[in-house]
Short mmCIF file of all heavy atoms in Angstrom, two decimals:
data_model
loop_
_atom_site.label_atom_id
_atom_site.label_comp_id
_atom_site.label_asym_id
_atom_site.label_seq_id
_atom_site.Cartn_x
_atom_site.Cartn_y
_atom_site.Cartn_z
N GLU A 81 -7.18 -9.46 7.44
CA GLU A 81 -6.95 -8.26 8.32
C GLU A 81 -5.77 -7.49 7.80
O GLU A 81 -4.97 -8.09 7.07
CB GLU A 81 -6.70 -8.69 9.75
CG GLU A 81 -5.52 -9.67 9.80
CD GLU A 81 -4.81 -9.78 11.09
OE1 GLU A 81 -5.13 -9.08 12.09
OE2 GLU A 81 -3.84 -10.54 11.12
N PRO A 82 -5.60 -6.25 8.15
CA PRO A 82 -6.60 -5.34 8.65
C PRO A 82 -7.43 -4.76 7.53
O PRO A 82 -7.02 -4.86 6.36
CB PRO A 82 -5.71 -4.24 9.32
CG PRO A 82 -4.44 -4.22 8.56
CD PRO A 82 -4.27 -5.63 8.02
N GLY A 83 -8.59 -4.20 7.86
CA GLY A 83 -9.42 -3.66 6.80
C GLY A 83 -10.80 -3.35 7.31
O GLY A 83 -11.08 -3.50 8.54
N LEU A 84 -11.75 -3.04 6.44
CA LEU A 84 -13.13 -2.78 6.84
C LEU A 84 -13.82 -4.06 7.09
O LEU A 84 -13.79 -5.05 6.20
CB LEU A 84 -13.84 -2.02 5.70
CG LEU A 84 -13.24 -0.71 5.25
CD1 LEU A 84 -13.93 -0.15 4.05
CD2 LEU A 84 -13.26 0.32 6.40
N LEU A 85 -14.44 -4.20 8.28
CA LEU A 85 -14.99 -5.53 8.70
C LEU A 85 -15.91 -6.14 7.66
O LEU A 85 -15.78 -7.30 7.25
CB LEU A 85 -15.67 -5.37 10.04
CG LEU A 85 -15.96 -6.63 10.79
CD1 LEU A 85 -14.69 -7.39 11.02
CD2 LEU A 85 -16.64 -6.32 12.09
N GLY A 86 -16.91 -5.38 7.23
CA GLY A 86 -17.90 -5.90 6.30
C GLY A 86 -17.27 -6.36 4.98
O GLY A 86 -17.57 -7.39 4.44
N SER A 87 -16.32 -5.59 4.55
CA SER A 87 -15.59 -5.87 3.26
C SER A 87 -14.78 -7.15 3.40
O SER A 87 -14.80 -8.02 2.54
CB SER A 87 -14.68 -4.70 2.88
OG SER A 87 -15.46 -3.56 2.57
N LEU A 88 -14.04 -7.25 4.53
CA LEU A 88 -13.23 -8.45 4.78
C LEU A 88 -14.16 -9.71 4.82
O LEU A 88 -13.79 -10.78 4.26
CB LEU A 88 -12.48 -8.33 6.09
CG LEU A 88 -11.37 -7.31 6.14
CD1 LEU A 88 -10.87 -7.08 7.49
CD2 LEU A 88 -10.19 -7.74 5.21
N LEU A 89 -15.31 -9.53 5.44
CA LEU A 89 -16.27 -10.70 5.55
C LEU A 89 -16.71 -11.15 4.19
O LEU A 89 -16.88 -12.36 3.95
CB LEU A 89 -17.49 -10.26 6.36
CG LEU A 89 -17.20 -10.41 7.90
CD1 LEU A 89 -18.46 -9.82 8.66
CD2 LEU A 89 -17.06 -11.89 8.23
N VAL A 90 -16.91 -10.23 3.29
CA VAL A 90 -17.34 -10.62 1.90
C VAL A 90 -16.30 -11.53 1.28
O VAL A 90 -16.59 -12.63 0.77
CB VAL A 90 -17.57 -9.39 1.01
CG1 VAL A 90 -17.93 -9.82 -0.43
CG2 VAL A 90 -18.74 -8.54 1.55
N GLY A 91 -15.01 -11.07 1.34
CA GLY A 91 -13.92 -11.86 0.71
C GLY A 91 -13.80 -13.17 1.35
O GLY A 91 -13.64 -14.21 0.73
N MET A 92 -13.78 -13.18 2.73
CA MET A 92 -13.55 -14.47 3.43
C MET A 92 -14.71 -15.50 3.24
O MET A 92 -14.48 -16.63 3.11
CB MET A 92 -13.33 -14.16 4.93
CG MET A 92 -12.00 -13.51 5.14
SD MET A 92 -11.44 -13.56 6.86
CE MET A 92 -12.52 -12.43 7.56
N SER A 93 -15.93 -14.93 3.23
CA SER A 93 -17.08 -15.88 2.99
C SER A 93 -17.01 -16.43 1.58
O SER A 93 -17.28 -17.63 1.39
CB SER A 93 -18.43 -15.13 3.14
OG SER A 93 -18.42 -14.30 4.23
N PHE A 94 -16.65 -15.61 0.63
CA PHE A 94 -16.52 -16.11 -0.76
C PHE A 94 -15.44 -17.23 -0.78
O PHE A 94 -15.66 -18.28 -1.36
CB PHE A 94 -16.17 -14.92 -1.66
CG PHE A 94 -16.00 -15.40 -3.10
CD1 PHE A 94 -17.13 -15.65 -3.89
CD2 PHE A 94 -14.78 -15.60 -3.66
CE1 PHE A 94 -17.01 -16.08 -5.19
CE2 PHE A 94 -14.65 -16.04 -4.95
CZ PHE A 94 -15.77 -16.29 -5.77
N ALA A 95 -14.29 -16.93 -0.15
CA ALA A 95 -13.21 -17.90 -0.17
C ALA A 95 -13.63 -19.22 0.47
O ALA A 95 -13.36 -20.33 -0.05
CB ALA A 95 -12.02 -17.32 0.56
N ARG A 96 -14.34 -19.12 1.58
CA ARG A 96 -14.80 -20.35 2.24
C ARG A 96 -15.84 -21.12 1.40
O ARG A 96 -15.89 -22.38 1.45
CB ARG A 96 -15.49 -19.97 3.60
CG ARG A 96 -14.50 -19.44 4.63
CD ARG A 96 -13.58 -20.59 5.10
NE ARG A 96 -12.51 -20.00 5.92
CZ ARG A 96 -11.44 -20.66 6.23
NH1 ARG A 96 -11.17 -21.88 5.81
NH2 ARG A 96 -10.44 -20.11 6.96
N SER A 97 -16.69 -20.40 0.69
CA SER A 97 -17.62 -21.13 -0.16
C SER A 97 -16.96 -21.85 -1.33
O SER A 97 -17.35 -22.96 -1.69
CB SER A 97 -18.77 -20.21 -0.65
OG SER A 97 -18.26 -19.13 -1.33
N VAL A 98 -15.90 -21.20 -1.91
CA VAL A 98 -15.18 -21.88 -2.96
C VAL A 98 -14.44 -23.10 -2.39
O VAL A 98 -14.35 -24.19 -2.95
CB VAL A 98 -14.13 -20.93 -3.70
CG1 VAL A 98 -13.34 -21.67 -4.77
CG2 VAL A 98 -14.86 -19.77 -4.26
#
Side-chain angles (χ1 to χ4, degrees):
E81 55 157 359
L84 304 173
L85 195 57
S87 295
L88 290 169
L89 275 172
V90 174
M92 287 197 289
S93 316
F94 180 79
R96 291 290 170 196
S97 55
V98 179

